[in-house]
Amino acid sequence: MSGRGPSMVITAGHAIYRDGVWYGGFKGVDAFYARHVEVGLQLVHDGHYDYWIPSGGPSRPAFESQTGGISEAEGLLNYAVEHNLCAASEERTLPEVWARDSMENLFFGILALHRKTGAWPSRVGVVSWSSKGLRYHLVASGMRLGGRIVFHGVGDYPAQADLARACAAEARFNAAIVDLSRTPPDYRLVDPLLRNSTEFAQKRWSRMPSAFSPD
């Protein structure tokens, strides 16, 4: 993947915004979802990146009656437009409407840029929870983005129970990527794109819209 193209920053979706409400996220953290949008766009407006990629599919099938089946990416853009952060037709905004997890946020976000510009990114930023920095760097390593990935951590979980849950989830996620049985410095990545994990395959399927076949 050549690194001579434009730069991009992804805001990874965690809930679906519609009509003033965030659906499918965790209780009490709506302000952080909003902040992720604001930071992503501010980085573009300040000249640090060429394109903003709001990323996430219609991954909350249990809330389709409230969201109308829109994607996380469309919800992120809706929030930005409603709060006058960008125009709906902003040329430098490229919604990525299929991702179901962090790996797909990064991978599909890059594909969205390539589809628009015909070039691979020179630099890739990611805006997400502060606790998710390691996972994105691990996935980026699997995509051979060394030297071109920048993580922008925004927000920590508001309560001890939330932090403990998030840290446990991160440890489980990262353990699926790294072979820790080796001794330093011989650690290696074994599945950075999470292609061989039954658990993560099932997680992705659980986030598919109800209109899609379960087979």
Side-chain angles (χ1 to χ4, degrees), residues 22-23 29 47 49 59 65 72 81 86 89 95 99 118 133 145 156 159 162 167-169 195 199 204 208 215:
W22 294 92
Y23 293 96
V29 296
Y49 296 95
S59 60
S65 62
E72 291 177 352
V81 172
C86 73
S89 58
L145 291 173
D156 288 312
D162 298 323
C167 289
R195 292 175 291 189
E199 176 185 353
R204 287 170 181 155
M208 293 291 283
D215 63 2

Side-chain angles (χ1 to χ4, degrees), residues 178-201:
V178 182
D179 180 1
L180 296 177
S181 66
R182 296 171 174 245
T183 57
D186 196 30
Y187 294 134
R188 65 187 180 95
L189 304 183
V190 292
D191 190 17
L193 304 185
L194 297 171
R195 292 175 291 189
N196 302 315
S197 169
T198 300
E199 176 185 353
F200 286 102

Side-chain angles (χ1 to χ4, degrees), residues 66-118:
Q66 294 100 317
T67 65
I70 66 170
S71 66
E72 291 177 352
E74 290 167 310
L76 295 173
L77 181 56
N78 285 345
Y79 177 87
V81 172
E82 286 184 18
H83 292 80
N84 299 314
L85 301 175
C86 73
S89 58
E90 172 66 50
E91 179 68 21
R92 294 192 295 168
T93 293
L94 306 176
E96 181 289 300
V97 299
W98 295 103
R100 297 164 295 180
D101 61 14
S102 302
M103 187 283 288
E104 292 185 349
N105 287 137
L106 186 56
F107 183 35
F108 294 173
I110 290 171
L111 294 180
L113 179 78
H114 189 273
R115 182 178 183 181
K116 171 71 174 181
T117 67

Side-chain angles (χ1 to χ4, degrees), residues 20-171:
V21 179
W22 294 92
Y23 293 96
F26 291 102
K27 184 178 180 180
V29 296
D30 290 359
F32 290 106
Y33 300 148
R35 186 63 182 149
H36 292 167
V37 174
E38 294 161 2
V39 169
L41 278 166
Q42 192 63 52
L43 287 166
V44 172
H45 293 161
D46 288 348
H48 298 292
Y49 296 95
D50 298 312
Y51 288 91
W52 178 54
I53 316 288
S55 173
S59 60
R60 299 294 186 269
F63 293 94
E64 285 180 356
S65 62
Q66 294 100 317
T67 65
I70 66 170
S71 66
E72 291 177 352
E74 290 167 310
L76 295 173
L77 181 56
N78 285 345
Y79 177 87
V81 172
E82 286 184 18
H83 292 80
N84 299 314
L85 301 175
C86 73
S89 58
E90 172 66 50
E91 179 68 21
R92 294 192 295 168
T93 293
L94 306 176
E96 181 289 300
V97 299
W98 295 103
R100 297 164 295 180
D101 61 14
S102 302
M103 187 283 288
E104 292 185 349
N105 287 137
L106 186 56
F107 183 35
F108 294 173
I110 290 171
L111 294 180
L113 179 78
H114 189 273
R115 182 178 183 181
K116 171 71 174 181
T117 67
W120 299 112
S122 58
R123 189 160 48 92
V124 181
V126 178
V127 177
S128 188
W129 289 101
S130 297
S131 62
K132 293 190 175 184
L134 177 57
R135 76 159 60 179
Y136 276 105
H137 279 94
L138 288 171
V139 173
S141 293
M143 296 182 188
R144 303 190 183 280
L145 291 173
R148 286 187 282 153
I149 182 72
V150 182
F151 182 76
H152 302 275
V154 178
D156 288 312
Y157 294 90
Q160 172 62 26
D162 298 323
L163 178 61
R165 174 195 53 76
C167 289
E170 285 303 299

